[in-house]
Every structure is written in C-alpha cells, then in structure tokens.
C-alpha cells in the first residue's frame, strides 16, 4: 500500500472532533510537507544543476511538466507562472496533463496509457528537453509512461513523488522523494503531499530561473509588463 494511502490511527474519529481540533490537526500535518522538502534539498539542488546544463546547451530545449490530478495541476500552476514572472518563452514550455479540463476531476484518465503516448507525441519532446514528472503515488500509469518514453529518447527526466515504492524511482535521472507519509485524510494527496510538491516546484523553478539570469539584484528583470501593477513594478525596478 502507498504511504499516502495508509490511515493514521490517531485520526480514526476525526469526524467527531470540533472544528478547532480539525484545523489544528491539518496545520500540524502541513509541517511534514516542509520537513520532507528540507530532507530532499540535495536532490532538488542536483535537479537544478542538471536542468540548467540542458537548458543552457540547447537554445530550443523545453521544460515539460507531466502529471495527473492534483500533481498535474501543481505542475501546470508552477510552469505557467514562468512566462509572466521570468519571461520564459512560451514555445519552450509544455504540459502533459491527463485531464482535459483543469476545473473538472479526471481521475479515470490517470490510467490511460494511450492518452499518455498521444500527449507525449503532441508535445514533441526531444532529447534536449527537461521533463518534470510529478505523482504522489509514483505509480500513475499516465505519468510513468511519459517518463519512460522521455528517458528512452535521452531527455532529462526529473521525478517528484511521495511513495518510496514508486515506479518513477526506478526510471528517472533525478529522483526527488518527498517523505510525507500518511495523510490527515487517508489518500487525500491534495493535502500534505500536494503542499510538499508545490514547495519543491517553487524551489526548483525559482532557483533554475535565477541561474538562467532571469534575476538581477533581487529583481525579476525579464518579467512581462502586462498590467498596471506590473508596469509600476517595472518602473520601480528601473528607478531603483
């Protein structure tokens, strides 16, 4: 059984707790996410170094985020922010997400291997790309299939997962295991596992963009000026 699926015996009667106790329990469980990421900093650092080398050596190389369900949404949330925040070229960013609509559940698609193969081909993944695969269980068929296909053609593969029995563990070039353990609600990986993935992606992509010279003196100097707030920010940068 996946670590995130195990029921915490201390939470067997949580539906009988008062609201404050539930909220405090949820808060305490989030600390595990922070500690899991801190324990994996060496792996995250290595992932940044490998991705930097790949993206610097090939001017057309892409960052590709892969995932299903909560994990896929985490990847898309991280990736889409790279365009306005750091001026990362839109054509150098791709997503493989098993769902067709982010606002609707699509858990059934996680097992669709043919969909994974089609999405891999549509994304035009090449050997120069950096493919970031995210799956709490580490066994999601959609995500594992795309990682294996990417690895076969020589792309750099980075796996982020929360289960040490993960299939991703065997195949990725860089493995980031986030040991968050059982969830506050058994199997609800949008909680602690999801938080750990979001923190990890924040660290990985921000450090990578800094190393790609998208930051100067603490400013996001390649950001896109697309609204009044960002125009004011740009003016303040230049003034400073």
């Amino acid at each position: 059984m996946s670590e995130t699926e195990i029921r915490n015996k201390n939470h067997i009667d949580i539906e009988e707790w008062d609201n404050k106790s539930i909220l405090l329990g949820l808060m305490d469980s989030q600390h595990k996410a922070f500690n899991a990421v801190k324990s994996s900093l060496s792996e995250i650092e290595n992932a940044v170094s490998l991705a930097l080398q790949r993206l610097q050596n090939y001017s057309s190389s892409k960052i590709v985020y892969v995932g299903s369900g909560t994990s896929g949404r985490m990847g898309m949330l991280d990736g889409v922010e790279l365009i306005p925040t750091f001026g990362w070229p839109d054509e150098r960013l791709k997503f493989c997400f098993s769902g067709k609509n982010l606002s609707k559940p699509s858990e059934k698609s996680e097992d669709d291997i043919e969909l994974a193969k089609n999405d891999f081909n549509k994304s035009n993944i090449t050997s120069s790309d950096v493919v970031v695969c995210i799956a709490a269980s580490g066994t999601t068929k959609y995500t594992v299939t795309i990682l294996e296909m990417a690895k076969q053609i020589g792309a750099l593969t980075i796996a982020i997962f929360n289960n040490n029995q993960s299939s991703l563990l065997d195949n990725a070039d860089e493995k980031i295991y986030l040991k968050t353990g059982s969830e506050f609600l058994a199997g609800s990986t949008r909680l602690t596992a999801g938080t750990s993935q979001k923190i990890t992606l924040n660290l990985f992509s921000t450090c990578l963009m800094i190393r790609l010279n998208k930051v100067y003196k603490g400013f996001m100097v390649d950001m896109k000026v697309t609204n009044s707030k960002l125009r004011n920010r740009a003016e303040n940068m230049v003034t400073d």
Side-chain angles (χ1 to χ4, degrees), residues 85-136:
T85 306
F86 298 108
W88 186 251
D90 182 68
E91 66 273 12
R92 296 184 68 186
L93 181 68
K94 294 292 181 181
F95 300 99
C96 291
F97 177 63
S98 66
K100 298 304 179 186
N101 187 331
L102 280 175
S103 66
K104 295 182 179 180
S106 57
E107 278 68 23
K108 185 178 180 181
S109 65
E110 295 183 6
D111 296 328
D112 195 332
I113 294 177
E114 288 306 311
L115 176 64
K117 293 178 179 178
N118 289 336
D119 286 353
F120 176 88
N121 292 327
K122 287 179 182 178
S123 298
N124 193 30
I125 296 173
T126 71
S127 60
S128 64
D129 294 338
V130 175
V131 182
V132 183
C133 298
I134 313 143

Side-chain angles (χ1 to χ4, degrees), residues 197-216:
Q197 292 170 3
K198 183 66 173 72
I199 297 172
T200 298
L201 290 167
N202 278 347
L203 268 59
F204 168 75
S205 62
T206 302
C207 187
L208 180 59
M209 290 297 122
I210 291 172
R211 287 288 165 255
L212 287 167
N213 301 316
K214 300 293 183 180
V215 173
Y216 178 72

